[in-house]
Amino acid sequence: MKPPRKAEPTDKIMTGNPGAPRPVIKPHPRMLSAEAGHSVEGIILPPSNAPTLIHVGLHKTASTSLQHIWLKMANMAPMSPTFAAGMLDLLHEAVTSDTVINLSPLKDEPMFLNTGDDADKWQVFSTEALSVFKWLTTPPAEVARIYFDRQVDLFTRLCPNAHILIVVREPQAWIKSIYMQYLKTGGTLTFRRFQLVHGADLRFVLAVDRLKAAWASRYGGDRVHILPFELFRDDPSHFFAELHARTGIPRPPAALLTTYLNISLNAREGEFLRKTNEFMALLTKSESLDDASRAMLNKVKPMVAATLRSEIQHHKRSLLSRTASKLTPAPAHGGLTADMQTFIRDTFIPMLAVETGDLCGYLENYANTEPAE
């Protein structure tokens, strides 16, 4: 089994029934000790009864900003990015195996940073990758079931005293943000074509009742919480107060609530990247390239895309950024396809109403979708 990949600190890595009796969470046999600094199968852990928040996404719902805040809080123990990356590798490998996940590749790797011996210190494991199998890829139903079952089984072995946080977002804005992320990673499809090609993948991620049910099956529905991205965007102190009221997790000081990270591309920037990606894709297929040159070009493509993205987003007055703005007209993306609007109206919003009530007052805004042109 391959060793876990190293990750930088900034690497980002089913309808539930809240009224049903809460299942008893049985700690893994090797987790019965509550001593500080104990280990499970070689994994270095704080006390097994330490309170934990497992934040599972969704993508493009301020995950980077939330992680930044928790990382800066002195009374929190954030996850180890190296552990998280290695654990995700093991989870993906485990979908083809009937055995319990072997944690030995992560031996001697702390799951959380800066835990010390404080049994009351909150641990936060935050990665939006837990809400999907693979980026913009819907797995077969059986693979999805195994993946999420193994995921929940692993966490109940390692963190039996946990609350789960799922953050959702107004669907039209969320889909456009996902589209911009797709362009950042080399995508070439127009917004409408993107919805047609990846509609099933988007609907799979938006089925958060399935995600909630997977976690509620082990932790109980009262420990799985769904909050709106818009509450964090509009009033972060209220967002954390709501999370504190539901879980008891400490609220961050006001000084940490002033920075919003990972701002999405605007429409013009996205269109410039799309056209550049399209040009690079055509260039790599050019018959004038020999195999060595083609291989070299494919190797540098991600670096070119990352450089362009950084330049147009963070250096607005640079020559490249100003030229891109002049050359690229702002696209008329239009709204959502009819299929997507139907799914949001008839499935997504009723599901959220069942799971959250009025979603802290934001649910009525989720129905405002603009039709595609």
Side-chain angles (χ1 to χ4, degrees), residues 2 27 45 94 118 122 130 133 137 187 194 204 221 226 230 255 283 286 303 307 319 327 341 366 369:
K2 62 185 179 182
L45 294 170
D118 186 353
W122 273 78
L130 293 174
F133 178 66
T137 301
F194 170 78
F204 178 82
I226 301 176
E230 292 79 11
L283 184 59
S286 171
M303 182 176 65
T307 301
L319 179 60
L327 291 178
Q341 291 184 71
Y366 280 30
T369 57

Side-chain angles (χ1 to χ4, degrees), residues 41-249:
E41 301 172 42
I43 307 301
I44 302 170
L45 294 170
S48 61
N49 62 344
T52 306
L53 180 70
I54 304 171
H55 170 224
V56 302
L58 305 177
H59 282 84
K60 312 311 295 180
T61 57
S63 298
T64 303
S65 296
L66 291 170
Q67 291 160 5
H68 176 78
I69 290 170
W70 286 321
L71 184 64
K72 296 292 185 181
M73 293 176 63
N75 56 349
M76 305 289 279
M79 70 180 184
S80 159
T82 301
F83 182 94
M87 188 201 70
L88 290 169
D89 287 342
L90 295 178
L91 281 169
H92 280 97
E93 292 172 1
V95 297
T96 59
S97 171
D98 291 331
T99 60
V100 174
I101 294 175
N102 176 18
L103 296 174
S104 60
L106 297 174
K107 185 178 179 181
D108 300 325
E109 178 67 39
M111 187 175 182
F112 297 95
L113 305 175
N114 307 320
T115 24
D117 58 358
D118 186 353
D120 297 321
K121 194 170 191 176
W122 273 78
Q123 309 163 156
V124 179
F125 198 98
S126 173
T127 172
E128 56 202 12
L130 293 174
S131 64
V132 296
F133 178 66
K134 291 183 180 178
W135 172 249
L136 289 178
T137 301
T138 300
E142 183 62 10
V143 172
R145 184 191 66 77
I146 294 173
Y147 177 69
F148 288 111
D149 281 353
R150 294 286 169 81
Q151 191 182 105
V152 174
D153 176 66
L154 181 58
F155 275 98
T156 50
R157 287 161 60 191
L158 299 177
C159 306
N161 183 22
H163 285 266
I164 318 302
L165 173 62
I166 303 169
V167 182
V168 295
R169 184 175 180 178
E170 187 276 307
Q172 179 161 275
W174 179 79
I175 291 171
K176 287 190 174 181
S177 187
I178 290 287
Y179 175 64
M180 291 301 173
Q181 185 66 29
Y182 157 81
L183 296 179
K184 287 181 179 181
T185 57
T188 61
L189 299 175
T190 63
F191 182 57
R192 178 174 175 77
R193 183 65 180 161
F194 170 78
Q195 292 180 72
L196 296 174
V197 171
H198 291 290
D201 306 317
L202 297 169
R203 289 189 288 272
F204 178 82
V205 178
L206 286 173
V208 292
D209 54 340
R210 177 173 53 235
L211 184 63
K212 177 180 177 180
W215 291 94
S217 67
R218 300 293 185 90
Y219 286 101
D222 61 322
R223 282 184 167 244
V224 184
H225 313 281
I226 301 176
L227 290 178
F229 156 86
E230 292 79 11
L231 181 60
F232 175 77
R233 179 198 63 195
D234 298 342
D235 189 350
S237 62
H238 186 183
F239 177 94
F240 284 106
E242 183 71 26
L243 185 60
H244 171 78
R246 298 184 185 200
T247 67
I249 191 170

Side-chain angles (χ1 to χ4, degrees), residues 306-333:
T307 301
L308 287 174
R309 181 175 72 242
S310 176
E311 189 78 8
I312 63 178
Q313 274 201 286
H314 306 302
H315 305 281
K316 302 287 188 182
R317 299 181 63 83
S318 71
L319 179 60
L320 176 60
S321 187
R322 287 184 284 116
T323 302
S325 181
K326 291 178 182 178
L327 291 178
T328 309
H333 280 152

